[in-house]
Each structure stands twice: as C-alpha cells, then as structure tokens.
Amino acid sequence: MTQVQDICDFLESFAPTALAEDWDNVGLIVGDPAVEATKIMTCLTITPESADEAITRGASLIVSHHPLPFRPLKRITTEQTPSRLIWDLIRAGVSIYSPHTAFDSAPDGINQMFGQRLGLSDIQPLVAADPETPSIGAGRHGQLENELTLASFADNVKQTFGLGSVKICGSSDFQVRRVGVACGSGGSFLGHAIAAGCDTFVTGETTFHTCLEAAAQNVALVLTGHYASERFAVESLATTLATRFPGCEVWASQKESDPVQIV
C-alpha cells in the first residue's frame, strides 16, 4: 500500500525542501501522512476548477506547485477563496503537498528543464545553493549552440512552449547567445543573469521597471507568461510520479488553465 508519506518522501528526495526560499510554504501542507494514496493529481495552482476536479475524481493527494495556503490563515471558513478550497478538500479527504521553490531549484527541477527545453548547454544555476554542489540552486543560465537574433529566439520559445505570442524587450535583430532563465515571476534574478554574462533573460513575468533596467543594461528579455513558464513541469512531474508509483493513478489537472488571455 502506498501512503501519502511515501509520496512525500519521494518528493523530498526529488526536490529537497531545504532548497526552498525562506519565505515559502513547502512540503505536506494538508493531510494525514498515514492515509493510503491511490490517486494523485498534479497542478500548477489549486483553483476552484482544479480542486473540484480532484474531489470529483477521488484524488487522495494534490501535488500543487503553488502552495495552498501561501500566506498564513487565521480562519478556515468558506468566506474567502483559499480557506474555502482548503475546507472543501479536507472534507473530501484530499491532502496537499507543495514543492514550489524547492522544485524550481532542484537538480532536475523546473529551471533545469526550462533551460534544457530552450536548447541551452553547460547549464548552471544563477545562484548556487552551496559552493560544494554547483549543480543545485536558483535560476539557470547556459549557452545556445548557435547565435540567434532575438526575433528567431522568441519564435523558438513560442514553438517550444506552444504559445501564440511572447513579450520581448529588445530589438528584433539583437544577438542572443548566453541565456538566463527563471520560471514564474523571475525578475529578481535579472541582476544575477547580468553577473553571469547573460545577454538575454527568459522568465514568466516581471515588472515594468525590471524591463527598463534590462534595457539600460543592454540585456534582452523574453516573457512567456507565468503559467507557460511552469505548467509544463507539473505535467512532467505527473509522469515521474506515475513511473515511481505504478500502483497509483496519476494525472496532471485537465481543468486548470492560464487565467491571462491575450485578445
């Protein structure tokens, strides 16, 4: 019998919670570790739609990249969305585990996969977690095999992630060779990308002022959108969990979607 604790132990080995940022809320957030886990759903975020999907399909455990709750709650009532979702999931016996920034920084985590999908070589963290283990840390940077214009590189990003559009900061003919990446809202890593010698930085989303700073530093930006920069990883995680726990039914949420649409 596979228990929730078995899943937690594997996820801890895969994305150690020690790698998470100090402000984060990671690990088993809701649930009884001793409960049998027969069905596991991965998702980027627990929303009303993905929570309903988990409950309807009888999930034992949700592995959600973004924590629920993210910030401390004083009450668990149905009056606010986060506490209402937790209430509904507890009533249905659904546990919640979040790897979040530990998964971002893990050796085979989101940013590593992000860099690999973009065709980067010699991939290294932008911020090493420990000088003695240089393969582990936050963000990534690496080298393209062949130099590309920003327009061509942006087209590759769109094709890689199945996007109709991306946002760019920089001229279309800007030459891209060394690329930094940070999934999600990764603008805070711009300085680290510059320090690593990156001419281009790819992230999900960032602020207007970060875009201005990138332009001032002659660094191009490619913004995929927060959802696109991370959703692929929870699909990959579902495959990993299904392989590791063949007795469990595992799937990536089919109901969640990007809340931001371009019209």
Side-chain angles (χ1 to χ4, degrees):
M1 180 182 75
T2 300
Q3 297 180 323
V4 167
Q5 185 62 58
D6 297 321
I7 312 298
C8 294
D9 290 344
F10 172 76
L11 290 168
E12 175 65 27
S13 67
F14 180 73
T17 51
L19 295 176
E21 301 292 336
D22 293 340
W23 47 259
D24 207 358
N25 186 22
V26 295
L28 184 64
I29 297 174
V30 171
D32 179 353
V35 167
E36 183 179 7
T38 57
K39 297 182 179 182
I40 306 165
M41 185 184 82
T42 67
C43 64
L44 185 58
T45 310
I46 297 177
T47 63
E49 293 77 16
S50 60
D52 179 69
E53 178 183 2
I55 293 168
T56 299
R57 293 186 60 171
S60 313
L61 173 67
I62 296 175
V63 179
S64 172
H65 185 57
H66 296 139
L68 179 70
F70 177 57
R71 296 179 178 86
L73 298 174
K74 292 184 177 181
R75 297 175 178 84
I76 303 295
T77 71
T78 60
E79 295 175 353
Q80 300 293 329
T81 299
S83 58
R84 183 177 73 250
L85 295 175
I86 292 171
W87 175 255
D88 289 343
L89 291 167
I90 289 174
R91 291 179 67 200
V94 184
S95 300
I96 302 171
Y97 186 103
S98 173
H100 204 205
T101 53
F103 189 20
D104 291 345
S105 298
D108 295 314
I110 297 182
N111 284 314
Q112 183 71 19
M113 289 189 280
F114 203 165
Q116 290 169 343
R117 287 188 172 219
L118 292 178
L120 303 183
S121 61
D122 189 27
I123 299 173
Q124 300 293 328
L126 286 173
V127 183
D130 182 344
E132 295 184 2
T133 53
S135 64
I136 301 175
R140 292 292 189 274
H141 65 98
Q143 194 88 354
L144 288 175
E145 182 178 357
N146 297 305
E147 195 169 84
L148 296 172
T149 65
L150 181 58
S152 296
F153 179 69
D155 282 340
N156 287 352
V157 174
K158 287 191 292 184
Q159 292 175 16
T160 297
F161 295 99
L163 301 173
S165 63
V166 293
K167 295 179 180 179
I168 65 169
C169 298
S171 62
S172 298
D173 59 356
F174 182 88
Q175 296 298 301
V176 177
R177 188 63 186 265
R178 175 154 287 275
V179 179
V181 301
C183 62
S185 300
S188 62
F189 289 97
L190 175 63
H192 297 290
I194 293 170
C198 297
D199 50 65
T200 303
F201 182 58
V202 184
T203 187
E205 59 183 351
T206 192
T207 66
F208 174 73
H209 293 286
T210 299
C211 295
L212 291 176
E213 178 61 17
Q217 296 288 344
N218 197 35
V219 173
L221 293 183
V222 178
L223 308 178
T224 65
H226 196 127
Y227 183 88
S229 74
E230 296 178 332
R231 166 66 193 191
F232 72 92
V234 300
E235 295 172 359
S236 175
L237 183 57
T239 300
T240 298
L241 289 170
T243 301
R244 178 62 181 81
F245 300 98
C248 298
E249 179 184 346
V250 187
W251 74 97
S253 173
Q254 298 173 2
K255 293 292 183 69
E256 76 170 350
S257 60
D258 192 342
V260 180
Q261 301 295 321
I262 296 175
V263 297

XYZ file of all heavy atoms in Angstrom, residues 186-260:
549
model
N 10.184 35.942 -12.245
C 11.619 35.822 -12.011
C 12.426 37.078 -12.201
O 13.653 37.008 -12.326
N 11.788 38.232 -12.200
C 12.519 39.465 -12.451
C 13.625 39.750 -11.458
O 14.614 40.416 -11.796
N 13.486 39.250 -10.234
C 14.503 39.494 -9.212
C 15.841 38.837 -9.564
O 16.869 39.164 -8.958
C 14.028 38.992 -7.848
O 13.805 37.591 -7.875
N 15.841 37.937 -10.549
C 17.072 37.257 -10.946
C 17.802 37.980 -12.080
O 18.843 37.498 -12.537
C 16.776 35.817 -11.366
C 16.407 34.918 -10.223
C 15.085 34.652 -9.924
C 17.396 34.349 -9.429
C 14.745 33.838 -8.868
C 17.073 33.529 -8.368
C 15.742 33.275 -8.077
N 17.269 39.105 -12.527
C 17.917 39.811 -13.636
C 19.366 40.163 -13.304
O 20.269 39.954 -14.118
C 17.138 41.082 -13.994
C 17.792 41.974 -15.062
C 17.911 41.239 -16.391
C 17.006 43.276 -15.218
N 19.603 40.687 -12.117
C 20.961 41.054 -11.730
C 21.904 39.868 -11.741
O 23.067 39.981 -12.143
N 21.410 38.717 -11.301
C 22.236 37.505 -11.315
C 22.535 37.067 -12.751
O 23.630 36.584 -13.041
C 21.527 36.385 -10.555
C 21.304 36.690 -9.104
N 22.338 36.755 -8.193
C 20.174 36.958 -8.412
C 21.854 37.046 -6.999
N 20.550 37.177 -7.102
N 21.541 37.234 -13.641
C 21.763 36.885 -15.049
C 22.827 37.795 -15.656
O 23.700 37.342 -16.415
C 20.455 36.989 -15.825
N 22.770 39.070 -15.319
C 23.773 40.010 -15.832
C 25.151 39.634 -15.301
O 26.141 39.608 -16.047
C 23.398 41.449 -15.433
C 22.113 41.876 -16.154
C 24.536 42.411 -15.756
C 21.520 43.173 -15.654
N 25.218 39.307 -14.003
C 26.500 38.931 -13.403
C 27.072 37.667 -14.034
O 28.297 37.491 -14.092
C 26.328 38.737 -11.898
N 26.191 36.786 -14.529
C 26.640 35.545 -15.170
C 27.011 35.748 -16.636
O 27.371 34.785 -17.316
C 25.547 34.483 -15.050
N 26.901 36.978 -17.117
C 27.281 37.271 -18.500
C 26.190 37.000 -19.514
O 26.477 36.887 -20.719
N 24.947 36.905 -19.059
C 23.845 36.624 -19.992
C 23.507 37.871 -20.802
O 23.436 38.979 -20.262
C 22.600 36.173 -19.228
S 22.829 34.627 -18.326
N 23.273 37.683 -22.091
C 22.805 38.783 -22.924
C 21.288 38.790 -23.030
O 20.695 39.782 -23.450
C 23.430 38.720 -24.323
C 23.290 37.341 -24.968
O 22.159 36.923 -25.242
O 24.329 36.681 -25.157
N 20.654 37.668 -22.614
C 19.206 37.525 -22.710
C 18.699 36.804 -21.477
O 19.362 35.898 -20.962
C 18.817 36.733 -23.978
O 19.361 37.412 -25.123
C 17.312 36.625 -24.131
N 17.521 37.204 -21.018
C 16.928 36.611 -19.831
C 15.478 36.248 -20.137
O 14.720 37.068 -20.656
C 17.002 37.595 -18.663
C 16.468 37.069 -17.364
C 16.991 35.916 -16.786
C 15.447 37.736 -16.704
C 16.504 35.442 -15.577
C 14.960 37.269 -15.501
C 15.486 36.115 -14.938
N 15.116 34.994 -19.827
C 13.766 34.495 -20.084
C 13.096 34.197 -18.757
O 13.649 33.480 -17.908
C 13.797 33.204 -20.940
C 12.371 32.767 -21.275
C 14.614 33.410 -22.202
N 11.900 34.737 -18.562
C 11.126 34.448 -17.362
C 9.643 34.497 -17.705
O 9.270 34.799 -18.845
C 11.478 35.437 -16.226
O 10.830 35.036 -15.008
C 11.063 36.862 -16.564
N 8.813 34.174 -16.713
C 7.386 34.187 -16.967
C 6.827 35.592 -17.059
O 6.195 35.982 -18.035
N 7.101 36.363 -16.001
C 6.594 37.732 -15.939
C 7.515 38.563 -15.056
O 8.260 38.033 -14.232
C 5.176 37.755 -15.363
C 5.090 37.169 -13.955
C 3.682 37.127 -13.408
O 2.784 37.705 -14.037
O 3.489 36.518 -12.330
N 7.460 39.877 -15.245
C 8.238 40.764 -14.395
C 7.615 42.148 -14.446
O 6.619 42.386 -15.134
C 9.711 40.791 -14.818
O 10.475 41.444 -13.803
C 9.912 41.508 -16.155
N 8.205 43.086 -13.714
C 7.644 44.426 -13.623
C 8.137 45.322 -14.752
O 9.155 45.052 -15.404
C 8.032 45.085 -12.291
O 9.454 45.298 -12.265
C 7.632 44.205 -11.106
N 7.438 46.409 -14.949
C 7.812 47.416 -15.932
C 9.211 47.953 -15.644
O 10.031 48.123 -16.557
C 6.775 48.551 -15.888
C 7.095 49.732 -16.750
C 6.980 49.654 -18.128
C 7.492 50.938 -16.184
C 7.268 50.752 -18.939
C 7.780 52.040 -16.981
C 7.662 51.943 -18.354
N 9.521 48.189 -14.375
C 10.812 48.768 -14.024
C 11.959 47.778 -14.235
O 13.082 48.183 -14.558
C 10.783 49.287 -12.587
C 9.872 50.464 -12.420
N 10.196 51.713 -12.885
C 8.630 50.564 -11.888
C 9.195 52.557 -12.626
N 8.238 51.880 -12.026
N 11.673 46.486 -14.091
C 12.696 45.482 -14.421
C 12.974 45.499 -15.918
O 14.130 45.357 -16.346
C 12.248 44.088 -13.972
O 12.060 44.082 -12.553
C 13.272 43.034 -14.335
N 11.945 45.689 -16.720
C 12.135 45.796 -18.173
C 13.001 47.006 -18.510
O 13.888 46.929 -19.374
C 10.789 45.907 -18.879
S 9.739 44.442 -18.749
N 12.769 48.126 -17.830
C 13.583 49.315 -18.062
C 15.038 49.077 -17.664
O 15.967 49.509 -18.357
C 13.020 50.505 -17.276
C 11.673 51.067 -17.741
C 11.228 52.170 -16.798
C 11.754 51.574 -19.169
N 15.246 48.376 -16.549
C 16.608 48.093 -16.105
C 17.317 47.170 -17.089
O 18.511 47.350 -17.379
C 16.577 47.453 -14.711
C 17.938 47.075 -14.150
C 18.883 48.259 -13.979
O 18.413 49.423 -13.984
O 20.103 48.028 -13.855
N 16.597 46.185 -17.620
C 17.191 45.293 -18.615
C 17.632 46.081 -19.844
O 18.735 45.875 -20.371
C 16.189 44.206 -19.009
N 16.769 46.995 -20.284
C 17.122 47.815 -21.448
C 18.353 48.671 -21.152
O 19.244 48.805 -22.004
C 15.934 48.699 -21.834
N 18.426 49.223 -19.952
C 19.563 50.058 -19.583
C 20.862 49.253 -19.533
O 21.949 49.785 -19.789
C 19.309 50.721 -18.230
N 20.737 47.971 -19.217
C 21.905 47.086 -19.126
C 22.190 46.353 -20.434
O 23.068 45.487 -20.481
C 21.682 46.058 -18.006
C 21.572 46.650 -16.615
C 22.892 47.149 -16.083
O 23.963 46.809 -16.594
N 22.843 47.987 -15.055
N 21.415 46.681 -21.480
C 21.571 46.050 -22.796
C 21.381 44.531 -22.727
O 22.121 43.759 -23.338
C 22.928 46.376 -23.421
C 22.966 46.090 -24.918
O 21.966 46.274 -25.615
N 24.102 45.628 -25.410
N 20.377 44.119 -21.974
C 20.005 42.708 -21.867
C 18.587 42.552 -22.416
O 17.677 43.301 -22.024
C 20.058 42.221 -20.407
C 19.517 40.800 -20.284
C 21.487 42.284 -19.885
N 18.387 41.613 -23.319
C 17.065 41.361 -23.884
C 16.241 40.519 -22.917
O 16.779 39.694 -22.172
C 17.183 40.649 -25.220
N 14.940 40.719 -22.925
C 14.024 39.926 -22.120
C 13.032 39.205 -23.021
O 12.593 39.744 -24.038
C 13.218 40.808 -21.154
C 13.934 41.519 -20.015
C 12.912 42.267 -19.165
C 14.713 40.535 -19.166
N 12.680 37.985 -22.616
C 11.577 37.259 -23.242
C 10.663 36.817 -22.107
O 11.095 36.126 -21.183
C 12.061 36.035 -24.048
C 10.859 35.296 -24.635
C 13.027 36.452 -25.143
N 9.394 37.229 -22.166
C 8.419 36.928 -21.123
C 7.363 35.979 -21.690
O 6.611 36.342 -22.598
C 7.759 38.211 -20.617
C 8.711 39.329 -20.178
C 7.927 40.562 -19.743
C 9.630 38.851 -19.065
N 7.324 34.774 -21.156
C 6.415 33.752 -21.672
C 5.028 33.815 -21.050
O 4.087 33.224 -21.576
C 6.977 32.349 -21.381
O 6.999 32.145 -19.962
C 8.370 32.176 -21.943
N 4.900 34.477 -19.919
C 3.706 34.373 -19.088
C 3.982 33.392 -17.959
O 4.678 32.380 -18.154
N 3.481 33.687 -16.770
C 3.765 32.876 -15.588
C 3.336 31.423 -15.791
O 4.105 30.489 -15.524
C 3.027 33.475 -14.384
C 3.517 32.985 -13.061
N 3.902 33.832 -12.049
C 3.686 31.729 -12.564
C 4.299 33.119 -11.002
N 4.159 31.842 -11.294
N 2.126 31.225 -16.283
C 1.569 29.882 -16.440
C 2.437 29.032 -17.367
O 2.808 27.901 -17.034
C 0.146 29.994 -16.986
C -0.597 28.687 -17.146
C -1.327 28.147 -16.097
C -0.606 28.010 -18.372
C -2.040 26.969 -16.238
C -1.303 26.831 -18.526
C -2.021 26.316 -17.458
O -2.710 25.131 -17.611
N 2.779 29.575 -18.520
C 3.539 28.801 -19.513
C 4.927 28.445 -19.011
O 5.479 27.403 -19.385
C 3.649 29.584 -20.815
N 5.500 29.272 -18.145
C 6.858 29.025 -17.681
C 6.942 27.897 -16.658
O 8.043 27.446 -16.328
C 7.459 30.304 -17.080
O 6.905 30.593 -15.807
N 5.776 27.417 -16.168
C 5.793 26.396 -15.127
C 4.857 25.211 -15.376
O 5.103 24.115 -14.867
C 5.446 27.026 -13.771
C 6.465 28.042 -13.301
C 6.116 28.705 -11.983
O 4.905 28.813 -11.670
O 7.040 29.114 -11.268
N 3.799 25.403 -16.125
C 2.800 24.343 -16.295
C 3.413 23.059 -16.868
O 3.074 21.943 -16.447
C 1.663 24.851 -17.193
C 0.724 23.780 -17.736
C -0.107 23.080 -16.686
N -0.718 21.885 -17.249
C -1.664 21.163 -16.662
N -2.139 21.509 -15.488
N -2.144 20.091 -17.243
N 4.321 23.188 -17.817
C 4.929 22.003 -18.426
C 5.583 21.117 -17.371
O 5.637 19.892 -17.510
C 5.957 22.410 -19.487
C 7.228 22.984 -18.921
C 8.330 22.171 -18.656
C 7.329 24.335 -18.623
C 9.500 22.689 -18.123
C 8.492 24.872 -18.086
C 9.580 24.043 -17.838
N 6.082 21.733 -16.299
C 6.815 20.983 -15.283
C 5.896 20.122 -14.431
O 6.288 19.025 -14.006
C 7.609 21.932 -14.403
N 4.669 20.581 -14.160
C 3.764 19.739 -13.369
C 3.241 18.576 -14.215
O 2.889 17.521 -13.671
C 2.603 20.549 -12.735
C 3.159 21.624 -11.816
C 1.667 21.136 -13.769
N 3.217 18.750 -15.534
C 2.884 17.630 -16.411
C 4.011 16.600 -16.377
O 3.764 15.388 -16.309
C 2.648 18.139 -17.829
C 1.431 19.055 -17.948
C 1.313 19.708 -19.312
O 2.185 19.462 -20.174
O 0.352 20.481 -19.511
N 5.251 17.090 -16.421
C 6.403 16.191 -16.324
C 6.440 15.492 -14.972
O 6.757 14.296 -14.884
C 7.687 16.994 -16.542
O 8.827 16.190 -16.356
N 6.090 16.222 -13.911
C 6.090 15.634 -12.571
C 5.058 14.520 -12.463
O 5.293 13.503 -11.799
C 5.821 16.713 -11.527
C 5.853 16.273 -10.062
C 7.183 15.634 -9.698
C 5.548 17.461 -9.143
N 3.917 14.684 -13.115
C 2.903 13.630 -13.108
C 3.463 12.356 -13.730
O 3.239 11.245 -13.222
C 1.653 14.088 -13.855
N 4.199 12.491 -14.819
C 4.824 11.332 -15.464
C 5.841 10.680 -14.539
O 5.914 9.446 -14.423
C 5.502 11.764 -16.777
O 4.519 12.324 -17.647
C 6.157 10.577 -17.464
N 6.634 11.495 -13.859
C 7.634 10.981 -12.924
C 6.979 10.205 -11.785
O 7.431 9.105 -11.421
C 8.463 12.142 -12.348
O 9.155 12.793 -13.419
C 9.471 11.655 -11.324
N 5.918 10.753 -11.215
C 5.220 10.084 -10.111
C 4.548 8.790 -10.570
O 4.545 7.788 -9.850
C 4.184 11.027 -9.495
C 4.743 12.200 -8.686
C 3.640 13.192 -8.344
C 5.422 11.701 -7.417
N 3.982 8.799 -11.777
C 3.344 7.593 -12.302
C 4.357 6.473 -12.495
O 4.056 5.292 -12.265
C 2.638 7.911 -13.620
N 5.555 6.830 -12.910
C 6.620 5.841 -13.086
C 7.090 5.305 -11.741
O 7.318 4.101 -11.585
C 7.806 6.467 -13.837
O 7.351 6.934 -15.115
C 8.916 5.459 -14.042
N 7.228 6.191 -10.769
C 7.730 5.799 -9.446
C 6.689 5.018 -8.651
O 7.030 4.124 -7.866
C 8.150 7.055 -8.677
C 8.654 6.793 -7.264
C 9.895 5.925 -7.261
N 10.370 5.662 -5.909
C 9.868 4.733 -5.082
N 8.851 3.993 -5.492
N 10.356 4.557 -3.883
N 5.405 5.327 -8.849
C 4.325 4.673 -8.102
C 3.309 4.081 -9.076
O 2.215 4.629 -9.267
C 3.647 5.680 -7.159
C 4.581 6.271 -6.138
C 5.153 7.523 -6.345
C 4.901 5.567 -4.983
C 6.020 8.063 -5.408
C 5.774 6.103 -4.038
C 6.340 7.355 -4.248
N 3.655 2.962 -9.706
C 2.787 2.394 -10.746
C 1.433 1.920 -10.226
O 0.500 1.751 -11.015
C 3.622 1.223 -11.284
C 4.570 0.883 -10.191
C 4.886 2.180 -9.520
N 1.315 1.731 -8.918
C 0.031 1.311 -8.355
C -0.943 2.455 -8.166
O -2.110 2.226 -7.818
N -0.494 3.668 -8.393
C -1.343 4.848 -8.231
C -1.791 5.385 -9.585
O -1.060 5.293 -10.573
C -0.596 5.958 -7.486
S -0.087 5.550 -5.817
N -2.976 5.939 -9.619
C -3.435 6.681 -10.794
C -2.947 8.117 -10.650
O -3.244 8.780 -9.653
C -4.956 6.653 -10.891
C -5.512 7.420 -12.079
C -7.024 7.472 -12.111
O -7.665 6.691 -11.371
O -7.564 8.315 -12.848
N -2.199 8.583 -11.627
C -1.599 9.923 -11.551
C -1.945 10.695 -12.809
O -1.842 10.161 -13.916
C -0.067 9.844 -11.393
C 0.505 11.241 -11.149
C 0.335 8.903 -10.257
N -2.315 11.936 -12.648
C -2.593 12.776 -13.815
C -2.322 14.243 -13.485
O -2.367 14.656 -12.318
C -4.033 12.610 -14.295
C -5.095 13.260 -13.435
C -5.683 14.485 -13.623
C -5.701 12.729 -12.238
N -6.608 14.750 -12.642
C -6.640 13.675 -11.784
C -5.546 11.536 -11.517
C -7.415 13.486 -10.633
C -6.301 11.335 -10.372
C -7.228 12.294 -9.944
N -2.016 15.020 -14.495
C -1.925 16.472 -14.376
C -3.311 17.049 -14.607
O -4.034 16.617 -15.511
C -0.936 17.032 -15.388
N -3.676 18.015 -13.801
C -5.018 18.595 -13.894
C -5.386 18.944 -15.332
O -4.603 19.556 -16.060
C -5.116 19.858 -13.033
O -6.351 20.509 -13.245
N -6.572 18.551 -15.702
C -7.078 18.862 -17.038
C -8.000 20.077 -17.032
O -8.454 20.522 -18.082
C -7.809 17.637 -17.585
C -6.907 16.432 -17.746
C -7.672 15.175 -18.126
O -8.889 15.189 -18.315
N -6.954 14.058 -18.237
N -8.296 20.585 -15.822
C -9.254 21.672 -15.710
C -8.589 23.039 -15.516
O -9.220 24.060 -15.767
C -10.208 21.425 -14.522
C -11.126 20.234 -14.713
C -12.143 20.472 -15.824
C -13.114 19.319 -15.992
N -14.035 19.179 -14.863
N -7.330 23.057 -15.038
C -6.726 24.364 -14.843
C -6.263 24.947 -16.171
O -5.943 24.218 -17.124
C -5.576 24.295 -13.834
C -4.296 23.697 -14.332
C -3.159 23.895 -13.324
O -3.327 24.639 -12.351
O -2.099 23.269 -13.534
N -6.220 26.259 -16.237
C -5.825 26.946 -17.463
C -5.211 28.287 -17.091
O -5.308 28.751 -15.947
C -7.026 27.156 -18.390
O -8.021 27.935 -17.732
N -4.570 28.900 -18.063
C -3.948 30.199 -17.847
C -5.050 31.253 -17.662
O -5.901 31.432 -18.530
C -3.088 30.539 -19.056
C -2.181 31.741 -18.802
O -2.450 32.509 -17.856
O -1.196 31.904 -19.553
N -5.065 31.939 -16.513
C -6.112 32.956 -16.305
C -5.915 34.205 -17.169
O -6.830 35.015 -17.287
C -5.986 33.295 -14.820
C -4.549 33.022 -14.500
C -4.169 31.845 -15.350
N -4.722 34.364 -17.740
C -4.423 35.544 -18.557
C -4.558 35.178 -20.033
O -3.885 34.270 -20.522
C -2.996 36.076 -18.288
C -2.708 37.295 -19.160
C -2.831 36.422 -16.815
